[in-house]
């Protein structure tokens, strides 16, 4: 719509939400946005009966809502989001006539209206209260009108400008008139009005009470006296001596600020700011403006002078300078990079990567890479390097940073960017990246993992992979055996004979278990060798057990342990006795006693006790409860500790005889 | 108990409209909720579980909202997997920067048990930045550390990454008076021996027997002498536990019975009270007494259960074997003991523990034993452990003695490679190159085996060896003691060389040292890869002796069982 109907007039305004623009289109409709950085257009409703352009209008801010005040002839309308209302300013002179110009104060609190009878109404912008009125002799429509007022001052005035005339109108009957030599333009400010013309720049503002007191003729105010004193002593801080406990900070701060203001007022800089404007603007914004005008040296001087922290001040400005510098196309990459590093060094808060990013944006990739070299945090270098397609360099930088996540980012980036073989080659030279990628493949791409190991002839790991998959992914017997067989081959290549042999045995065991499963219709698969044999004995299949014992060269000790435990669990005491006599037990006979006792068969246990080796026989007798025998053996051994052991087991009521026997033996041995 | 339980338990979550809690695993979720929130560690496996759930919903035509919260941080690979699984647009991701969980007054855990396997086995450095962030967090809370010591490659890297972090954040940190004087970072692989020994102080025994999870233990019906199990928080708040946690187990029973008598006498004071006194007693003391009584009976129950398991002949023999391994006596006898242990299928973890202990203390097994013990083990506990052995060899936990000097030559090459600054950040995948443990040499130099005339007094211990019945001073703790005493590594060069180097000592130039400050006695002991309760007890003892206050920061509480389980390949 704006495009179709052309823009008749636009007004820029500033609120707490930012800078806004209001537009009046050729169709006499208003559109506005409150913040140009976050552009949301709001079209206000049509003004009924508005056929021609309003004579004047302004944007008001009432209770944080933006409305438009417009005048058509003698009528004044308020236009908001939804409605359109006719309003009348309170106590408006009945002879006012048609509105020609209006002005809203800087803070949106006051409104001034100028009519074709030369009448000026001044009041609150809420249109609820009139402050004063003023009649002047000029009827011609003024070119501009603006409020001139200091914050917190009671004095209010509007400045009205015609082609060559300026009128300051306020609460008094008489206005002040100035003659303008040139075409001028008024800019309302926080604390006054700027008057700009082609060759001059003036500032009109109310003189503060303090200044008035100083400079009034024959003033006796302290300030004036002080000024006189200063002339005498050339010491501005003279007065401060007369005040007890005067905090020096504010004095120093004010002096510094004044010097800054004087510096920027210099004609070469040309930023005449008043103190309150400067405070409103803040030093940061002022610095930004200086930087935008490339007044880097001045900005840095100011930072240093005001002792701003480096990150806030100098570094920021240097970074801006560097970003500007990289755009200078007439200098070589080396020169620029060198110049930047010379100036910046390693000032804290400087991000070389940001400057490099700017250089890259300007199409100077080589320069960007050179600048990145200066970036101390390798992590910061990586994203830009990737963007510039310097992936291999990015990879080394990422590894240097020690940040695994960053390495992953680059690796996976590389994976998509390079073809497979180059990708693998790149990884070969970067062990950290390689091991990380392996981790990734383990879960996500097992086949790739195989390729990776194949490439560097890592047969051990390949063997492990095959073996692992025979336990995890393969389900069929054939598949499992095949995987294991591959494992065996790889282990041989890796010269790991132990693993090859163990895996070979596992194939044999699997096949055997399969046969057992078929023969006995019981699950045997995935038992360990020990458990397989144990279960065979438990089921009384002694022959098959013996076969496995021989085939797999199970050590005798293990076989005896396992067999007696299985027989005991089966309570096959007959077989156990037979077995014990088959040949000399490699584990001795105490385990027989123990296992019988464990299964609560003292009767069987007693049979084995006499066969237990002498040094353990006492223990065996105690286990089976033959304390008398135990005592005899101990006496035979003449072993004090054994005697004590037996004695400890004796209970006074039942074993009194045994205890006595031991005590006797003990005293006898003592005598000797 | 899980870390989440410690922070927000089920009832709190329910108050915030959580309908139901599920464990993230390879299972479909049957829920009618229209929002699912996943709180996971940033692992590919977890993301795949989530992807399966989301894709199953998609297939069934269900629409829900999904949110994945990665803790402590999100990794790029996780997003990558989301993308590959085609659900990147369906889920929103968030991070929960959860680094520190205080388990007790002096124990802070990062609750990252996977740190151990990830770093020491897989050579994955993903958690190093997490450790650095945890340090930075402590640094910002308690002021700058005056002095930082460390040993181990991971410690070094974590320290470097933390320094960088600290420099970046220097701007926001105000000058604070330091509350933690010294920091000591130690890699778990500097001392595996201590972690592999059977624990005999009460807290360690409870952990070995019942597994303390997040500072809480589940006591089963046999201990509570009721029909249900009870969760008990084990920390300084538990007055009974607090008094026995650091004690050698042999002292615990007598302490408990003394305590029981004392409690009884307090109860008995009721007799002869007038009504008013009785009223006071009931309203003020009785509740506390009852509570203490309940705790006491629980700990007595626990003790009984431990006694049943541990005071059998077997356990005594086991300890005897351990002690001779540590001292280097009767190696043949110990080897046969281990063999019998395996043959009788006593316990896969215990057998493995003894094998590793033998290997580390002897600088590797002699080739014959290496082969035969492994064969026996495979026969007993299943052939898949072939892969476990491979892992253990990589970590240097179970190795073969090298014939001659060939390995030493290669080692010096490797160590040259890693001392180079640029290569210093090379992956630890190579740390696997069978590093020698040199335990015997270290033990001699540091005097880890105390020689006491007569019996070691466990009731009033003289040194940290009491945590292992007076047989051995934990190496990790001894290193800390020595370095703190010498205020650096000076004079420990020989030991450092035997420990494979990577030691450092850094003083923060910005912090002035003031020996009168209380903080100079506060030491943050950081264990990368986990620390055991025995080590905590030993350092608490050292603290009491020397006037230090140790604060423990560990990636997780560990034990021989946890450590070895992490290296095992299981078939599931």
């Amino acid at each position: 719509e704006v495009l179709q109907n052309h823009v008749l007039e636009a007004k820029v305004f500033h609120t707490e939400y930012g800078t806004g623009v209001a537009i009046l289109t050729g169709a006499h409709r208003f559109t506005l946005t409150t913040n140009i950085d976050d552009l949301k257009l709001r079209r206000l409703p049509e003004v009924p009966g508005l056929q021609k352009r309003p004579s004047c209008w302004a944007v008001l801010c009432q209770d944080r809502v933006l409305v438009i005040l417009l005048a058509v002839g003698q009528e004044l309308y308020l236009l908001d989001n939804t409605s359109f209302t006719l309003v009348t300013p309170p106590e408006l002179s009945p002879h006012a006539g048609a509105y020609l110009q209006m002005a809203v104060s800087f803070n949106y609190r006051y409104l001034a209206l100028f009519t074709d009878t030369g009448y000026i109404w001044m009041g609150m912008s809420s249109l609820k209260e009139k402050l004063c009125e003023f009649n002047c002799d000029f009827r011609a429509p003024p070119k501009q009108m603006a409020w001139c007022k200091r914050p917190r001052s009671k004095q209010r005035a509007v400045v009205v400008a015609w082609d060559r005339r300026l009128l300051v109108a306020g609460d008094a009957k008489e206005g002040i008139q100035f003659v303008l030599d040139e075409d001028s333009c008024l800019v309302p400010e926080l604390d006054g009005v700027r008057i700009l013309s082609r060759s001059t720049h003036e500032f009109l503002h109310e003189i503060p009470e303090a200044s008035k007191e100083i400079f009034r003729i024959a003033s006796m105010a302290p300030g004036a006296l002080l000024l006189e004193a200063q002339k005498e002593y050339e010491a501005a801080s003279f007065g401060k001596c007369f005040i007890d406990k005067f905090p020096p900070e504010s004095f120093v701060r004010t002096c510094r600020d004044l010097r800054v203001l004087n510096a920027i007022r210099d004609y070469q800089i040309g930023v005449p700011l008043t103190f309150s404007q400067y405070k409103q603007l803040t030093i940061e914004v002022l610095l930004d403006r200086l930087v935008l005008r490339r007044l880097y040296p001045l900005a840095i001087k100011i930072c240093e002078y005001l002792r701003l922290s480096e990150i806030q001040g100098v570094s920021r400005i240097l970074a801006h300078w560097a970003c500007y510098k990289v755009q200078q196309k007439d200098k070589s990459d080396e020169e620029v990079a060198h110049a930047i590093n010379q100036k910046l060094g390693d000032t804290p808060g400087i991000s070389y990567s940001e400057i490099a990013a700017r250089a890259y944006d300007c199409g100077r990739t080589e320069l960007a890479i050179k600048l990145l070299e200066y970036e101390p945090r390798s992590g910061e270098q990586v994203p830009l390097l990737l963007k510039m397609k310097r992936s291999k360099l990015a990879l080394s930088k990422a590894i240097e940073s020690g940040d695994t996540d960053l390495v992953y980012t680059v690796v996976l980036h590389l994976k998509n960017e390079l073809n497979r073989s180059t990708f693998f080659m790149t990884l070969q030279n970067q062990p950290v990246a390689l091991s990380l990628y392996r981790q990734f493949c383990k879960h996500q791409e097992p086949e790739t993992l195989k390729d990776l190991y194949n490439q560097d002839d890592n047969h051990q790991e390949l063997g492990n992979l095959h073996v692992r998959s025979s336990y995890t992914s393969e389900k069929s017997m054939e598949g499992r055996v095949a995987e294991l067989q591959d494992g065996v081959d790889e282990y041989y290549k890796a010269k790991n004979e132990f693993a090859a042999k163990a895996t070979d045995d596992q194939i044999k065991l699997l096949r055997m278990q399969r046969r057992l499963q078929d023969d006995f219709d019981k699950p045997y698969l995935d038992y360990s060798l020990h458990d397989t044999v144990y279960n065979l004995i438990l089921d009384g299949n002694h022959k098959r057990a013996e076969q496995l014992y021989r085939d797999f060269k199970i050590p005798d000790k293990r076989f005896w342990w396992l067999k007696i435990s299985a027989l005991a669990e089966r309570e096959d005491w007959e077989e156990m006795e037979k077995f014990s006599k088959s040949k000399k037990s490699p584990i001795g006979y105490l385990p027989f006693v123990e296992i019988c006792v464990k299964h609560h068969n003292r009767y069987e246990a007693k049979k084995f006790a006499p066969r237990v080796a002498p040094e353990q026989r006492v223990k065996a007798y105690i286990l089976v409860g033959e304390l008398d025998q135990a005592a005899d053996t101990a006496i035979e051994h003449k072993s004090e500790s054994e005697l004590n052991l037996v004695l400890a087991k004796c209970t006074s009521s039942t074993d009194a005889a045994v205890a006595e026997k031991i005590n006797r033996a003990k005293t006898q041995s003592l005598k000797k | 108990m899980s870390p989440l339980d410690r922070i927000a338990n089920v009832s709190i979550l329910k108050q915030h409209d959580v309908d139901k809690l599920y464990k993230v695993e390879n299972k479909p979720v049957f829920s009618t909720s229209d929002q699912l929130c996943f709180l996971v560690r940033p692992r590919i496996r977890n993301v795949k579980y989530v992807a399966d759930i989301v894709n199953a919903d998609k297939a069934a035509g269900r629409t829900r909202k999904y949110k994945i919260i990665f803790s402590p941080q999100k990794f790029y690979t996780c997003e990558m997997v989301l993308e590959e699984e085609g659900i990147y647009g369906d889920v929103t991701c968030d991070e929960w920067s959860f680094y520190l969980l205080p388990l007790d007054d002096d124990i802070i855990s990062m609750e990252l048990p996977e740190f151990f396997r990830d770093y020491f086995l897989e050579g994955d450095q993903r958690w190093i930045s997490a450790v650095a962030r945890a340090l930075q967090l402590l640094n910002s809370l308690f002021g700058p550390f005056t002095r930082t010591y460390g040993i181990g490659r991971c410690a070094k890297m974590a320290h470097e990454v933390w320094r960088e972090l600290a420099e970046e954040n220097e701007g926001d940190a105000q000058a604070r008076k330091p509350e933690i004087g010294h920091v000591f970072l130690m890699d778990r692989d500097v001392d595996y021996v201590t972690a592999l020994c059977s624990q005999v102080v009460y807290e360690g025994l409870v952990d070995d027997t019942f597994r303390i999870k997040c500072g809480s233990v589940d006591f089963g019906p046999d201990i509570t002498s009721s029909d249900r199990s009870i969760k008990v928080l084990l920390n300084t708040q538990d007055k009974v536990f607090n008094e026995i946690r650091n004690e050698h187990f042999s002292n615990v029973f007598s302490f408990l019975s003394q305590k029981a008598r004392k409690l009884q006498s307090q109860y008995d004071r009721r007799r002869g009270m007038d009504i008013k006194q009785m009223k006071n007693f009931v309203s003020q003391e009785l509740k506390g007494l009852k509570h203490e009584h309940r705790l006491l009976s629980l700990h007595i129950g626990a003790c009984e259960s431990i006694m049943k398991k541990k005071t059998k002949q077997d356990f005594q023999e086991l300890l005897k074997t351990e002690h001779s391994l540590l001292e280097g006596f009767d190696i043949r006898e110990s080897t046969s003991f281990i063999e019998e242990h395996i043959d009788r299928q006593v316990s896969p973890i215990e057998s493995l523990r003894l094998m590793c202990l033998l290997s580390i203390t002897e600088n590797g097994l002699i080739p014959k034993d290496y082969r035969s013990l492994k064969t026996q083990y495979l026969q007993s506990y299943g052939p898949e452990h072939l892969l476990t052995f491979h892992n253990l060899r990589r970590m240097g936990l179970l190795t073969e003695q090298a014939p001659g000097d060939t390995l030493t030559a290669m080692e010096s090459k490797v160590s040259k490679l890693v001392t180079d600054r640029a290569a210093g950040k090379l992956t630890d995948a190579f740390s696997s190159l069978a590093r020698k443990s040199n335990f015997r040499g270290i033990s001699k130099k540091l005097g880890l085996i105390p020689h006491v005339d007569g019996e070691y007094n466990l009731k009033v211990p003289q040194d940290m060896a009491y945590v292992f019945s007076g047989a051995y001073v934990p190496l990790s703790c001894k290193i800390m003691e020595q370095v703190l005493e010498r205020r650096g590594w000076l004079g420990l060069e020989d030991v450092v060389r035997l420990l494979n180097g990577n030691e450092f000592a850094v003083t923060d130039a910005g912090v002035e040292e003031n020996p009168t400050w209380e903080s100079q006695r506060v030491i943050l002991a950081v264990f990368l890869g986990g620390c055991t309760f025995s080590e905590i007890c030993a350092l608490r003892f050292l603290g009491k002796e020397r006037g230090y206050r140790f604060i423990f920061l560990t990636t997780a509480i560990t034990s021989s069982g946890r450590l070895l389980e992490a290296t095992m390949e299981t078939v599931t």
Side-chain angles (χ1 to χ4, degrees), chain A residues 377 399-401 404-405 408-409 412 415-416 431-432 435-436 439-440 442-445 460-461 464 467-468 471-472 491 498-499 502-503 506 528-531 552-555 557-558 561, chain B residues 44 48 74-77 80-81 84-85 122-126 168 340 342-345 371 374-384 386-387 390 394 425-427 429-430 569 571-572:
Chain A
R377 290 162 298 171
I399 290 167
E400 221 174 88
S401 78
T404 6
D405 204 33
Y408 260 127
T409 317
L412 296 176
K415 185 183 152 211
N416 294 330
V432 178
S435 92
L436 280 175
Q439 296 280 320
F440 177 76
K442 214 181 223 173
H443 295 279
Q444 230 21 27
E445 298 172 12
Q460 174 68 40
E461 287 294 348
N464 289 348
V467 170
R468 190 173 288 117
Y471 295 120
T472 52
Y491 285 141
F498 175 82
T503 311
Q506 174 56 14
S528 70
L529 179 62
H530 185 109
D531 293 343
F552 287 92
K553 300 197 182 77
I554 295 178
K557 279 187 181 175
R558 171 194 295 279
W561 274 117
Chain B
I44 293 177
K48 289 188 104 170
K74 181 170 71 184
F75 285 133
Y76 179 72
T77 33
M80 189 74 194
V81 172
E84 286 189 2
E85 300 286 331
E122 316 270 10
D124 185 338
Q125 306 172 352
R126 63 166 70 200
E168 269 173 45
E340 192 185 309
I342 298 169
D343 285 352
R344 298 175 62 187
Q345 287 185 314
R371 238 157 293 173
K374 283 202 300 184
T375 311
Q376 298 301 315
Y377 194 92
L378 295 181
Q379 289 189 356
S380 268
Y381 302 117
E384 68 276 9
L386 188 65
L387 301 173
H390 178 72
R394 253 169 90 154
K425 283 178 174 171
L426 274 185
T427 182
F430 308 115
E569 294 287 334
V571 185
T572 35

Side-chain angles (χ1 to χ4, degrees), chain A residues 386-511:
Chain A
L386 279 183
K387 208 167 125 197
M388 299 192 300
K389 304 226 182 307
R390 301 294 157 120
S391 321
K392 286 178 195 173
L393 192 57
L395 185 58
S396 348
K397 293 291 176 194
I399 290 167
E400 221 174 88
S401 78
D403 180 347
T404 6
D405 204 33
L406 205 58
V407 181
Y408 260 127
T409 317
V410 183
V411 167
L412 296 176
H413 191 95
L414 278 175
K415 185 183 152 211
N416 294 330
E417 192 180 83
L418 304 174
N419 68 39
R420 209 169 157 90
S421 57
T422 355
F423 175 55
F424 280 9
M425 283 307 291
T426 314
L427 288 186
Q428 287 302 327
N429 302 322
Q430 297 286 6
V432 178
L434 182 61
S435 92
L436 280 175
Y437 184 59
R438 280 196 195 123
Q439 296 280 320
F440 177 76
C441 290
K442 214 181 223 173
H443 295 279
Q444 230 21 27
E445 298 172 12
E447 283 308 309
T448 315
L449 192 57
K450 244 178 230 175
D451 295 345
L452 275 171
Y453 286 135
N454 250 321
Q455 196 187 311
D456 50 335
D457 291 329
N458 194 338
H459 296 294
Q460 174 68 40
E461 287 294 348
L462 278 170
N464 289 348
L465 273 185
H466 286 300
V467 170
R468 190 173 288 117
S469 66
S470 99
Y471 295 120
T472 52
S473 39
E474 281 295 333
K475 292 283 171 277
S476 74
M477 189 66 195
E478 295 73 30
R480 295 185 58 177
V481 169
E483 285 286 0
L484 287 174
Q485 191 55 55
D486 287 344
V488 172
D489 296 344
E490 294 294 345
Y491 285 141
Y492 273 126
K493 281 188 205 154
K495 299 203 170 51
N496 186 343
E497 308 219 343
F498 175 82
K501 174 92 187 7
T503 311
D504 213 16
D505 279 350
Q506 174 56 14
I507 296 176
K508 241 164 65 186
L509 182 65
L510 265 182
R511 290 210 168 109

Side-chain angles (χ1 to χ4, degrees), chain B residues 89-214:
Chain B
D90 302 297
V91 299
T92 52
C93 295
D94 224 327
E95 280 185 10
W96 178 28
S97 316
F98 164 69
Y99 292 104
L100 306 172
L101 180 72
L103 291 181
D104 206 342
D105 290 356
D106 58 351
I107 309 174
I108 305 167
S109 169
M110 294 183 66
E111 291 298 318
L112 280 175
E114 58 250 69
F115 182 101
F116 179 70
R117 186 178 166 119
D118 282 340
Y119 180 80
F120 293 102
L121 177 61
E122 316 270 10
D124 185 338
Q125 306 172 352
R126 63 166 70 200
W127 300 121
I128 289 181
S129 64
V131 173
R133 279 173 219 205
L135 284 174
Q136 177 58 21
L137 188 57
L138 286 172
N139 191 60
S140 63
L141 289 174
F142 300 108
F145 311 136
T146 322
R147 231 168 137 67
T148 312
Y149 309 102
I151 184 159
R153 200 171 306 159
C154 182
K156 214 169 187 174
M157 279 193 277
H159 182 250
E160 272 170 31
V161 177
W162 167 61
R163 281 302 323 158
E164 276 167 32
L165 266 184
E167 270 163 37
E168 269 173 45
N169 294 325
E170 222 149 54
D172 358 318
Q174 293 121 356
R176 294 194 47 168
K177 199 173 146 186
E179 288 181 57
I180 297 173
H182 304 257
V183 179
F184 202 116
L185 294 130
M186 185 179 282
D187 283 15
R188 185 68 268 175
D189 69 350
V190 168
D191 173 19
Y192 279 135
V193 174
T194 304
L196 288 175
C197 290
S198 297
Q199 307 198 64
V200 284
V201 282
Y202 184 64
E203 193 164 12
L205 255 180
V206 171
D207 190 31
D208 270 359
T209 323
F210 308 104
R211 285 274 161 113
I212 300 175
K213 288 181 193 118
C214 248

